[in-house]
Amino acid sequence: MSTAIVVGGGIGGLATALALTRRGWPVQVLERAPEIAEVGSGISLWANAVRALDALGVGAAVREQGIEDVAAGIRTARGRWLSRTDVATMRARFGAPVVIHRAALLDILRAAIPDGVVRTGISVSRAGTDGSVVHTGGVSTADLVVGADGIRSVVRRAVCGDVPARYAGYTAWRAVVAVDEPLTEFGETWGRGARFGMAPLADGRIYCFAVYNAPENAPGSFAEVRARFAGWHHPIPALLAAADENTVLHNDIYELVPLPTFSAGRIALVGDAAHAMTPNLGQGGCQALEDAVVLARLAGEPNGPAQYDRERRPRTQMIAARSARIGTIGQLSAAPLVALRDTALRITPASVSFRAMDEILDWTC
């Protein structure tokens, strides 16, 4: 019986472990953290990801703990709408997206995996194309090694050598906020060199993020973030004021250059280890879920990892390139360019936007 080792216990790693176990593979997940947890962050699961979750047998649980049919769009810093999402058309054309807390998604995936599969507190130092994995517990071997260990993947070195992460030019602050006032309008607000986004969670809290242009590793405080967005439309200042500084996450945004391959020998890369992308399309986690389903389908075939690479690399790299372009447009700071951007958003028909989403959201298992 074929065996697998999954390095990394994030969304991509747990989803891959679940997909493989559902096909009868004995799997071990090696996660370096002492426990699997994600705080202070939500995730939008678009229709393609929801289909992947259905294939994994957990779609219903995700819908139950998330929120569907969230109306959204893009506004200016003063609150003027530049575009609105036609929720009914979105549902009819692609299916409804789901917004959920990342911790809830991880809990759902973890609960669906048999006991004993996930081993925490295990750090991997090297992987080999022969299926060997060197870690703090010794050396393990498997017929398939899955690198799900993020943008600074150790497993990727055996596939592509050292590939440095590339700074996108902007930094992000993320928080989950409890609010007294019910909110009905969500989405993103685009300013000059800065953006703010918000989405509802099932427990009534709001997931929000603030993004702005900054040098890499620039020092910053949450007080500075509040000051930067103080003049933006309601409820942005109120959300930032209500955020708990002790739980706010701050991360510079990085991406990977396009890799020449996602596989070598018995190794296959999934998620950020393969195609870390900027979050501008909300597709990072969604593509990791797709990876899991496709890899499990192909893993038992002759040259399964190579087949997986041929199927997944063109799609994920196309999406990553699109996300990078949207980030460049969203982070424009020169006033004339921002004015042109906002005008283009305002006059673009919704039908054009939907056509642009077709090849991303129409994915099926």
Side-chain angles (χ1 to χ4, degrees):
M1 181 179 293
S2 297
T3 60
I5 296 172
V6 177
V7 181
I11 292 172
L14 293 180
T16 303
L18 175 56
L20 290 168
T21 57
R22 285 171 61 86
R23 290 180 174 266
W25 285 63
V27 180
Q28 278 195 344
V29 176
L30 306 180
E31 166 57 43
R32 67 180 179 180
E35 61 180 350
I36 293 177
E38 181 87 34
V39 297
S41 178
I43 183 171
S44 296
L45 299 169
W46 292 90
N48 54 312
V50 175
R51 292 189 201 99
L53 290 163
D54 283 335
L56 295 172
V58 295
V62 169
R63 291 184 185 90
E64 183 179 341
Q65 295 193 38
I67 291 184
E68 297 182 87
D69 287 337
V70 177
I74 298 176
R75 285 182 271 188
T76 68
R78 292 184 177 181
R80 180 184 183 185
W81 286 101
L82 299 173
S83 67
R84 302 292 293 268
T85 301
D86 184 335
V87 176
T89 301
M90 172 75 75
R91 173 182 274 277
R93 189 161 181 166
F94 306 114
V98 177
V99 180
I100 190 171
H101 197 291
R102 283 178 180 263
L105 177 59
L106 288 173
D107 287 345
I108 291 168
L109 292 171
R110 177 74 179 268
I113 297 171
D115 292 340
V117 168
V118 179
R119 299 174 59 190
T120 55
I122 304 293
S123 295
V124 171
S125 58
R126 185 173 62 82
T129 57
D130 60 353
S132 61
V133 177
V134 180
H135 53 82
T136 50
V139 179
S140 302
T141 59
D143 299 289
L144 174 67
V145 174
V146 181
D149 49 340
I151 190 169
R152 292 175 175 82
S153 170
V154 170
V155 177
R156 189 175 60 235
R157 295 175 192 158
V159 177
C160 302
D162 287 323
V163 180
R166 179 172 61 192
Y167 181 49
Y170 40 95
T171 194
W173 298 74
R174 296 174 291 157
V176 172
V177 179
V179 293
D180 296 327
E181 172 191 354
L183 301 181
T184 58
E185 295 183 319
F186 302 95
E188 292 193 15
T189 298
W190 289 16
R192 293 178 56 184
R195 288 174 288 163
F196 189 93
M198 51 186 164
L201 297 174
D203 61 6
R205 293 183 298 169
I206 306 298
Y207 165 57
C208 57
F209 60 86
V211 181
Y212 55 86
N213 296 341
E216 185 176 11
N217 297 320
S221 70
F222 197 58
E224 293 169 348
V225 177
R226 286 170 170 155
R228 181 183 292 269
F229 291 89
W232 288 38
H233 69 78
H234 179 77
I236 292 174
L239 289 173
L240 291 173
D244 181 352
E245 295 188 32
N246 296 316
T247 61
V248 169
L249 303 178
H250 179 209
N251 304 98
D252 283 350
I253 302 301
Y254 291 89
E255 60 188 346
L256 278 184
V257 298
L259 300 183
T261 181
F262 289 176
S263 71
R266 296 184 178 183
I267 296 177
L269 305 175
V270 303
D272 283 353
H275 47 69
M277 60 187 71
T278 57
N280 305 298
L281 276 174
Q283 280 290 321
C286 298
Q287 290 306 301
L289 292 168
E290 286 186 19
D291 290 344
V293 173
V294 174
L295 180 57
R297 168 165 53 82
L298 297 173
E301 300 293 325
N303 300 314
Q307 290 189 55
Y308 162 81
D309 168 63
R310 287 192 293 270
E311 182 167 335
R312 292 301 297 159
R313 186 158 45 91
R315 173 171 169 79
T316 55
Q317 291 181 348
M318 174 272 292
I319 293 172
R322 281 198 189 183
S323 186
R325 288 196 295 272
I326 290 173
T328 298
I329 295 168
Q331 294 301 128
L332 289 172
S333 58
L337 294 177
V338 169
L340 286 173
R341 176 198 70 193
D342 291 356
T343 299
L345 284 170
R346 193 170 57 252
I347 66 176
T348 299
S351 58
V352 173
S353 300
F354 279 124
R355 282 199 299 272
M357 298 168 70
D358 276 345
E359 61 183 326
I360 296 176
L361 301 188
D362 267 352
W363 177 88
T364 57
C365 306

